[in-house]
Amino acid sequence: MTPIDLNTWQRLAPMALLFLVINGGAKFVRENLYAFAGAGAGFAFLDRLGLREFVLGGLLALLVGILVAAIYHRRFRFRIEGDAIRLRRGIIENKDLRIRFARVQNVGLSQPFYFRPFGLVRFTLETPGAESTEVSLPGVSQELALALRDHIARAGGAAGREAEYDVDPEAAPAEVQTEASDATLIHAPGNLRLFAHGLVSNQVWLIAGVAAWLFGTMWERIEQWIGSIGVSALVQRILEFGWTGAAGLILLLVISLFVLSGVLSFVRFHDFILRDLGDRFLSIGGLLDRREQNIRRRKLTGLTLYQTALGRLIGQWYLIGKQASSKEFEVDPSGKHFLIPGMRRGDLHLIGRLMPGFSVPESMRPISRRFRTLLWSRISAPVLLLTALAWWYLSETRLLMGGVLVILLVVLWLVHRSWRCWGWQVVDGVCWIQQGLFGLRRDAFELAMVQQAAVVSTPYFRRHDLASVRLVLPQGQVTVPFIARSDAVELVNRAVLAAETSRAHRV
């Protein structure tokens, strides 16, 4: 096979035009779905159009999309220039982007099912601080993508080692010098665990929210469709059994949501495997869209171990490797990060594999009980006052007030659960912060990665010799609330010392 010259200008494959049209159409639908379906305005507009006008409008939109995609495709080109990749693109405004390999923290390859017959893939690069994928090659040959991936891994890894150690690359740790040929399979959960990941992850509530929004927006049309297939009559017969029938329908709906979540997880992570390539990690998985994600070991800035309420019942976790983000506060805990699904207790050694020296502490230091006391008083005082006034002046609502008191007790118990879940610990320069309610979330990072540290003290805190610690990390901000002031000052001092004496920041 003739080697690919990456130093010459390369273009997208002709079939990439199909991807640009599909991706552009999907993006247009996502951005305008709420405006179209909100309050049924879009459907009302469509009802006023005839079939002919609707078809002509659709064809016109398709032709415009194809024209825009063709211009974008024609002007898109890229090449390797020394230690960087250069990209030119644009429709009306031409953009010229150059990214050094040393800054690349994530290399991704994805192959949708409609790309497979043509041997094409989508190639992406992510860098620290970017709000979205900075480089996306939407349709290149698999050989070209693999050549780019390997070239960037070699050049970026060498540049990163030289920058970090300020010496010859041979002085880097042994595990960083391991070649890709020594790749080790470190995690292959199997499809059953991947299905279970969908059950225990919180995406089921996202699915429920989207379903509720769709039902609320398009209820009349859904009701007509249900009536046309005879489902409404079946539901009515089930409801004739009273509360048992209604409970059965609700249970069936909940089970359906969880099964759908499991199926989506199975499709997303199908045949997931994780390999250790020495200086980087490689994950591969997906059914309809086969995704390959390369992440440099030295670009990992921390990790988060999740265990949802259902995950605690069946003993399943999932792990997210964190990278530098442009957002001060974390919005999406898993979107652009390195996610490892389907973990059991025996797989927790992966934490130390991803971040050497990291291990889950056997115990956490609790936060002050004042956290619970303060929230209890702030919630209880106004509710009890209003309940007492209603009980005295509105005697006919006393039964309702009893229900309010029961709800208050439940809320106070939830506050107690939240306080019990909070905890923190520092082990060998690694800080762990735990929080949750029924599930648990454990964030871990080296104190040397802290970019800003602050001790927050309010009048209430000063009165009880307490403080909160706010730490700004490359991946976002974390907080340790309601701890002794002496512990807060010590934690901040240790973080500042570790950051100032660190040999290099890996972002």
Side-chain angles (χ1 to χ4, degrees):
M1 180 183 296
T2 305
I4 299 175
D5 185 6
L6 299 176
N7 298 308
T8 61
W9 286 108
Q10 304 285 338
R11 295 187 179 275
L12 300 177
M15 284 303 301
L17 183 62
L18 174 63
F19 178 86
L20 292 174
V21 173
I22 294 175
N23 191 49
K27 182 179 180 181
F28 178 81
V29 170
R30 286 196 306 269
E31 293 178 350
N32 297 278
L33 180 61
Y34 288 101
F36 178 81
F43 294 104
F45 175 73
L46 288 182
D47 288 338
R48 293 180 175 273
L49 292 178
L51 179 61
R52 178 183 176 184
E53 290 80 3
F54 177 75
V55 172
L56 290 177
L59 289 175
L60 178 62
L62 179 61
L63 290 175
V64 171
I66 293 175
L67 177 62
V68 172
I71 297 174
Y72 185 83
H73 181 277
R74 180 175 178 80
R75 294 185 175 181
F76 196 107
R77 51 183 175 168
F78 58 94
R79 72 177 181 183
I80 299 296
E81 291 185 350
D83 64 343
I85 182 171
R86 188 174 181 182
L87 183 70
R88 288 182 177 176
R89 61 188 177 183
I91 301 177
I92 299 176
E93 179 184 5
N94 290 328
K95 298 180 181 180
D96 197 320
L97 180 66
R98 190 175 187 274
I99 296 179
R100 293 182 62 240
F101 299 142
R103 286 189 51 77
V104 174
Q105 66 181 12
N106 200 332
V107 179
L109 280 73
S110 65
Q111 190 177 48
F113 65 92
Y114 48 84
F115 268 8
R116 292 175 192 171
F118 309 101
L120 301 180
V121 297
R122 178 173 178 257
F123 182 89
T124 59
L125 294 178
E126 295 177 7
T127 59
E131 292 189 1
S132 59
T133 301
E134 199 155 5
V135 172
S136 176
L137 309 181
V140 295
S141 67
Q142 192 165 6
E143 294 79 12
L144 176 57
L146 293 177
L148 280 171
R149 181 199 67 184
D150 295 339
H151 182 88
I152 292 172
R154 289 192 300 269
R161 290 194 292 272
E162 292 175 3
E164 181 170 358
Y165 296 98
D166 198 26
V167 290
D168 190 273
E170 294 180 0
E175 70 271 14
V176 179
Q177 300 181 57
T178 307
E179 296 296 331
S181 59
D182 299 327
T184 303
L185 178 64
I186 58 176
H187 186 53
N191 291 325
L192 183 59
R193 282 200 207 174
L194 297 177
F195 180 85
H197 171 75
L199 301 181
V200 304
S201 66
N202 289 323
Q203 72 173 355
V204 66
W205 310 118
L206 177 62
I207 296 173
V210 173
W213 175 79
L214 288 175
F215 271 84
T217 304
M218 300 180 288
W219 172 247
E220 293 184 0
R221 293 178 176 273
I222 294 175
E223 190 176 23
Q224 294 175 0
W225 175 74
I226 291 176
S228 65
I229 62 176
V231 175
S232 57
L234 177 61
V235 172
Q236 290 177 0
R237 293 193 60 181
I238 294 176
L239 292 178
E240 291 177 359
F241 291 95
W243 68 269
T244 55
L249 281 178
I250 295 175
L251 180 61
L252 179 62
L253 177 61
V254 171
I255 292 175
S256 300
L257 287 175
F258 275 96
V259 171
L260 177 59
S261 179
V263 171
L264 292 177
S265 176
F266 172 82
V267 171
R268 178 185 177 188
F269 297 106
H270 180 257
D271 284 343
F272 179 90
I273 58 173
L274 176 66
R275 295 184 183 276
D276 186 348
L277 305 183
D279 63 336
R280 55 196 169 100
F281 294 96
L282 170 68
S283 68
I284 303 175
L287 183 61
L288 299 180
D289 187 2
R290 193 70 174 168
R291 294 177 179 268
E292 174 185 310
Q293 192 175 13
N294 279 263
I295 183 171
R296 288 176 56 195
R297 183 190 295 270
R298 294 293 171 182
K299 291 296 184 179
L300 284 171
T301 59
L303 56 84
T304 301
L305 181 64
Y306 286 94
Q307 190 177 36
T308 62
L310 186 56
R312 296 181 72 179
L313 291 177
I314 66 175
Q316 184 151 321
W317 289 260
Y318 63 96
L319 185 66
I320 294 179
K322 295 301 185 69
Q323 299 171 281
S325 170
S326 63
K327 299 179 176 63
E328 181 181 2
F329 301 99
E330 181 181 4
V331 177
D332 183 3
S334 60
K336 292 293 183 182
H337 300 299
F338 194 74
L339 192 150
I340 304 174
M343 292 176 55
R344 299 284 188 177
R345 181 172 296 277
D347 299 317
L348 294 182
H349 68 277
L350 291 175
I351 294 174
R353 193 69 182 255
L354 260 68
M355 304 287 291
F358 283 45
S359 62
V360 181
E362 295 182 359
S363 61
M364 294 283 184
R365 300 178 63 178
I367 64 174
S368 172
R369 295 183 180 181
R370 295 286 179 181
F371 173 87
R372 180 184 61 183
T373 304
L374 181 62
L375 290 180
W376 275 0
S377 60
R378 288 184 174 181
I379 295 172
S380 302
V383 173
L384 291 177
L385 178 60
L386 292 176
T387 302
L389 292 175
W391 186 280
W392 183 264
Y393 292 104
L394 303 173
S395 57
E396 66 276 6
T397 63
R398 289 180 177 177
L399 182 61
L400 178 62
M401 293 304 103
V404 171
L405 292 177
V406 172
I407 295 175
L408 175 62
L409 291 176
V410 173
V411 172
L412 296 181
W413 177 75
L414 292 176
V415 171
H416 171 75
R417 284 285 308 171
S418 178
W419 167 72
R420 289 290 301 271
C421 289
W422 268 105
W424 65 286
Q425 189 63 272
V426 178
V427 181
D428 297 330
V430 177
C431 183
W432 287 82
I433 300 176
Q434 175 181 284
Q435 56 183 301
L437 187 60
F438 298 108
L440 289 176
R441 166 179 171 163
R442 298 182 179 96
D443 292 284
F445 53 90
E446 292 180 281
L447 290 177
M449 300 302 298
V450 173
Q451 297 177 336
Q452 296 180 27
V455 176
V456 180
S457 183
T458 65
Y460 179 85
F461 283 169
R462 290 192 291 270
R463 188 163 60 250
H464 298 285
D465 197 28
L466 298 173
S468 292
V469 174
R470 184 179 300 132
L471 303 174
V472 177
L473 303 165
Q475 65 267 27
Q477 179 176 286
V478 295
T479 301
V480 187
F482 287 81
I483 61 176
R485 181 172 179 79
S486 58
D487 291 336
V489 173
E490 180 185 2
L491 178 58
V492 168
N493 288 338
R494 291 183 63 177
V496 172
L497 177 63
E500 290 181 346
T501 58
S502 175
R503 302 181 66 177
H505 284 289
R506 301 190 305 273
V507 293

